[in-house]
Amino acid sequence: MNRHLHIICAEAPWPANNSIAIDTFYQLVSLYQQGIKIHLHYFCTNTNCHSTELNKYCESIHPYQSNKQKTNVPDTDCLSGKKMAAVISNDNYPVLFEGINCTGTLKQIAGSNRKIVVRMYNDECRYYHHLTDSSGAFFQKINLKRRTREIKEYEDVLPKNCLYAFSTMENADSSAKDHQLTNAHHLPVFSPFKTVTGKPGLGNFCLYHGDLSDPCNKKAVLWLLSKVFNDINTPLVIAGKDPGKQIGKLTEFYSHTCLIINPSQAEINDLVGKAHINVLPSFSNKRPELKLIHALASGRHCITNDNAVTGTAFETACHVAKNANALKSILIQLYNRPFEEEEVELRKKIFNLVNKEEPVNTLIKWLYN
């Protein structure tokens, strides 16, 4: 029996160069490997082209013109959304929404008798609170507060007959409480990092990597530069997407820091593997972040903070710092200490435990049972 599925994304999940795209792409691959026939829908600025990489895994691909004025609240009455709803209404296949910002057609589709799963990833209201706290600009704070209010109003009236999947149980519980979502569940992220390949020994630099256009990641980098690496000469490499002028100027100010702008995935993989310490404090409510999983799977020592690992299976594999001074102290202790085979074995046990229950099996059960 053929099993078909509509997947709706805010953007094409290829190239997989940010956490949502990575998660979505490897979810798509996992579903394809389970024999699911995927009909992919996404928004873009040029509907006449898409990556041929997606053709390998999709039965059909439907790009739609994106709204030029993007907000975190979906447009429920746009022309592209109406076109998508018309295509989806031709059958009764299950529908999977990848994030709340592509759910403009959710209420219309939810009116039909079909299975619908919405991957919420985070408690978006709390996430935007974190973004507001992370922003240093007055007018940006005002804008983020407005967005927080808008997203709360939108989430308060989400259809109750859909299943909502969150990347942590904590976010599922908080959203269920705040928005009366009776069908909120935990679904782990889909990750390409399944096995531990980190090599024992010594590297010769520290590394922070991530999407540097994200306000929480930007805050983490500026915090590291001004509070941790400001008075020690330990080499620090910062690598990521669209860092902006403030990060660029501060890395130029210190002779022991350097910035790699918009590296390829191959370059990121190489840096993670060669670094002696992956330094990844988190100022968001995303937990665990894909970059942390990447560092633990492919890198050596990893230092982070409570916010990144509390309540996750990865806590014991990290060196956890309470504040900037504690992080600095741990960093100095670790920098000349080889990464040991015993630490590799500990991570292998953790990854074996985490990967024991494949999220694709849970997702398929929700969609087809």
Side-chain angles (χ1 to χ4, degrees), residues 217-228 238 246-248 250:
N217 291 343
K218 178 181 177 182
K219 180 177 181 178
V221 169
L222 295 176
W223 182 81
L224 285 172
L225 289 169
S226 61
K227 303 292 185 182
V228 179
I238 297 164
Q246 191 175 10
I247 291 175
L250 203 51

Side-chain angles (χ1 to χ4, degrees), residues 76 97 103-112 154 157-159:
T76 58
F97 287 88
T103 58
T105 59
L106 176 59
K107 288 183 180 179
Q108 182 178 349
I109 295 172
S112 60
Y154 184 81
V157 293
L158 286 170

Side-chain angles (χ1 to χ4, degrees), residues 322-336:
K322 298 286 186 183
N323 51 47
N325 286 335
L327 195 154
K328 190 181 300 186
S329 176
I330 295 170
L331 190 150
I332 292 169
Q333 293 174 46
L334 291 178
Y335 193 69
N336 293 310

Side-chain angles (χ1 to χ4, degrees), residues 122-188:
N122 307 301
D123 181 335
E124 291 293 327
C125 287
R126 296 190 182 199
Y127 175 61
Y128 274 93
H129 275 302
H130 278 281
L131 291 184
T132 303
D133 292 340
S134 299
S135 173
F138 175 76
F139 288 107
Q140 189 176 41
K141 279 184 180 291
I142 297 295
N143 185 45
L144 287 168
K145 285 181 179 179
R146 175 182 58 80
R147 290 189 175 193
T148 303
R149 185 172 60 252
E150 290 174 348
I151 200 69
K152 184 181 187 310
E153 292 172 355
Y154 184 81
E155 289 187 353
D156 282 344
V157 293
L158 286 170
K160 298 298 187 284
N161 61 329
C162 304
L163 188 149
Y164 298 90
F166 295 82
S167 58
T168 70
M169 199 65 240
E170 178 189 0
N171 282 333
D173 290 341
S174 64
S175 288
K177 179 181 177 181
D178 294 343
H179 307 293
Q180 289 75 53
L181 293 178
T182 57
N183 210 6
H185 298 271
H186 169 225
L187 184 71

Side-chain angles (χ1 to χ4, degrees), residues 55-274:
N55 293 342
K56 302 176 186 178
Y57 310 104
C58 299
E59 190 78 4
S60 65
I61 297 177
H62 306 269
Y64 303 90
Q65 189 68 43
S66 62
N67 185 349
K68 291 183 179 180
Q69 290 189 325
K70 292 183 178 179
T71 69
N72 58 302
V73 177
D75 186 347
T76 58
D77 195 39
C78 68
L79 180 60
S80 294
K82 290 179 179 178
K83 289 180 179 179
M84 180 197 298
V87 172
I88 293 175
S89 67
N90 289 326
D91 55 64
N92 201 39
Y93 303 149
V95 179
L96 175 61
F97 287 88
E98 288 297 313
I100 194 170
N101 56 345
C102 62
T103 58
T105 59
L106 176 59
K107 288 183 180 179
Q108 182 178 349
I109 295 172
S112 60
N113 183 27
R114 72 169 86 216
K115 293 282 185 72
I116 297 176
V117 173
V118 183
R119 293 195 68 197
M120 300 286 281
Y121 296 102
N122 307 301
D123 181 335
E124 291 293 327
C125 287
R126 296 190 182 199
Y127 175 61
Y128 274 93
H129 275 302
H130 278 281
L131 291 184
T132 303
D133 292 340
S134 299
S135 173
F138 175 76
F139 288 107
Q140 189 176 41
K141 279 184 180 291
I142 297 295
N143 185 45
L144 287 168
K145 285 181 179 179
R146 175 182 58 80
R147 290 189 175 193
T148 303
R149 185 172 60 252
E150 290 174 348
I151 200 69
K152 184 181 187 310
E153 292 172 355
Y154 184 81
E155 289 187 353
D156 282 344
V157 293
L158 286 170
K160 298 298 187 284
N161 61 329
C162 304
L163 188 149
Y164 298 90
F166 295 82
S167 58
T168 70
M169 199 65 240
E170 178 189 0
N171 282 333
D173 290 341
S174 64
S175 288
K177 179 181 177 181
D178 294 343
H179 307 293
Q180 289 75 53
L181 293 178
T182 57
N183 210 6
H185 298 271
H186 169 225
L187 184 71
V189 296
F190 288 79
S191 166
F193 314 114
K194 299 293 186 183
T195 58
V196 176
T197 59
K199 297 178 181 179
L202 290 165
N204 55 12
F205 61 91
C206 298
L207 173 69
Y208 179 94
H209 77 277
D211 179 356
L212 302 180
S213 66
D214 182 288
C216 291
N217 291 343
K218 178 181 177 182
K219 180 177 181 178
V221 169
L222 295 176
W223 182 81
L224 285 172
L225 289 169
S226 61
K227 303 292 185 182
V228 179
F229 288 86
N230 57 317
D231 59 0
I232 58 175
N233 291 321
T234 307
L236 172 66
V237 175
I238 297 164
K241 175 184 172 185
D242 301 338
K245 293 181 179 178
Q246 191 175 10
I247 291 175
K249 288 181 179 179
L250 203 51
T251 50
E252 288 178 2
F253 181 78
Y254 297 110
S255 61
H256 60 288
T257 65
C258 74
L259 176 63
I260 300 176
I261 301 173
N262 297 326
S264 68
Q265 190 58 50
E267 289 174 307
I268 288 290
N269 294 343
D270 187 56
L271 288 167
V272 170
K274 288 181 177 178

Side-chain angles (χ1 to χ4, degrees), residues 292-363:
L292 178 66
I293 299 175
H294 186 181
L296 292 173
S298 307
R300 296 187 178 92
H301 297 299
C302 186
I303 308 177
T304 186
N305 58 356
D306 285 315
N307 200 56
V309 292
T310 299
T312 75
F314 300 105
E315 190 168 3
T316 57
C318 298
H319 299 271
V320 182
K322 298 286 186 183
N323 51 47
N325 286 335
L327 195 154
K328 190 181 300 186
S329 176
I330 295 170
L331 190 150
I332 292 169
Q333 293 174 46
L334 291 178
Y335 193 69
N336 293 310
R337 195 182 93 184
F339 185 62
E340 303 287 351
E341 186 65 46
E342 290 82 359
E343 295 171 282
V344 175
E345 292 304 314
L346 171 62
R347 291 185 186 181
K348 285 181 179 179
K349 290 178 181 178
I350 293 171
F351 272 75
N352 287 339
L353 180 64
V354 168
N355 294 325
K356 189 174 181 180
E357 187 66 33
E358 288 285 346
V360 70
N361 296 328
T362 301
L363 186 55

